[in-house]
Amino acid sequence: MDADFNYVWPVEDPVIYHNFDGKNVDLYKEIYGALSQNSDNPYSRISIANSTISIDPTRGCPLGCAYCVSGSCIRNINKENLKNNDFSKVFITKPEMIFDGVTLVHHLVRHPAFIKDKTVISLCTSTSEPFFGINSEITWSVLKYIADHGYKNPFWLVTKFGFTESEIGLWVSRFKYLSKKGNKIILSISWSNLPKDIEPFTNDRFKHIHSLKGIPNLHISHHFRPIING
């Protein structure tokens, strides 16, 4: 087997840098739940996320939610701004590809935690928005590749961004394509009406829901997360 497909199971213990750079913050080396702590290994961008396995080809998200878990990982932050104590600019806001999505799929299906046709697959759960910017096409490349290669695994896609006016028609046709291939899709639209200092990005995430209604195998849910005390 190719050395790139080496993995450790159970998951390696996460590498944590305590008091990173003297800033009194503890940061993970890789995203929480990553299947590898080796940053050169694609398994570092495949993680256990809730009841799914998440593929995270990119880093960077423009939404700026205060509770975002991507800020707990060194690879997902702007270290220079952290060094300069500019905590308002710690997050990388423009999605950047780290590993090609299809490359991550190749590794995912070879991992012993993956069960063909059973394991729920998520996109960008730990790092970004699956339908924003370059992520939209990367997300589609992953979903289509899995479906076209005979895997019937269900997909769980969580979004705060939703769909743009120019892309909703395209995604309707894409979801119909996946449905015909036999893949179930859970589309969770996350909205908790939090104040802007917690969720700076606000838009009508439900604007195009009517366009998705009635697509077989597509299930839409209202994702009440996070639940923040007070």
Side-chain angles (χ1 to χ4, degrees), residues 6-8 11-12 30-31 33-46 111:
N6 288 342
Y7 47 68
V8 174
V11 178
E12 301 171 30
E30 294 296 341
I31 53 180
L35 300 182
S36 174
Q37 294 295 301
N38 178 0
S39 300
D40 295 326
N41 190 324
Y43 283 119
S44 65
R45 302 304 287 186
I46 302 173
H111 195 276

Side-chain angles (χ1 to χ4, degrees), residues 15 20 34-35 40 42 45 47-48 57 89 91-92 110 112 128 135 140 145 174 189 195 223:
V15 176
F20 180 75
L35 300 182
D40 295 326
R45 302 304 287 186
S47 63
I48 304 298
K89 298 179 180 178
F91 291 99
I92 296 172
R110 287 167 171 80
S128 194
N135 288 343
W140 173 236
Y145 185 91
R174 288 172 171 177
I189 302 176
H223 197 50

Side-chain angles (χ1 to χ4, degrees), residues 9 15 24 36 52 59 81 84 87 109 112 139 154 161:
W9 185 256
V15 176
N24 197 32
S36 174
T52 77
R59 65 176 183 174
N81 285 334
N84 296 331
F87 290 96
V109 300
T139 294
F161 180 73

Side-chain angles (χ1 to χ4, degrees), residues 149-211:
H149 284 76
Y151 292 92
K152 307 299 183 186
N153 295 73
F155 304 116
W156 184 21
L157 306 172
V158 181
T159 180
K160 297 183 183 74
F161 180 73
F163 302 92
T164 64
E165 197 76 41
S166 61
E167 284 206 330
I168 182 59
L170 183 61
W171 274 103
V172 167
S173 64
R174 288 172 171 177
F175 287 139
K176 288 180 178 178
Y177 180 88
L178 296 174
S179 176
K180 289 180 180 179
K181 289 285 187 177
N183 298 88
K184 293 182 179 179
I185 310 108
I186 304 167
L187 178 64
S188 291
I189 302 176
S190 178
W191 183 69
S192 51
N193 200 27
L194 293 170
K196 284 198 171 185
D197 58 336
I198 297 178
E199 282 191 352
F201 178 82
T202 57
N203 72 337
D204 185 356
R205 305 169 192 181
F206 296 91
K207 183 176 181 180
H208 299 295
I209 285 298
H210 64 280
S211 300

Side-chain angles (χ1 to χ4, degrees), residues 1 67 144 179:
M1 182 177 286
Y67 52 80
K144 186 175 186 298
S179 176

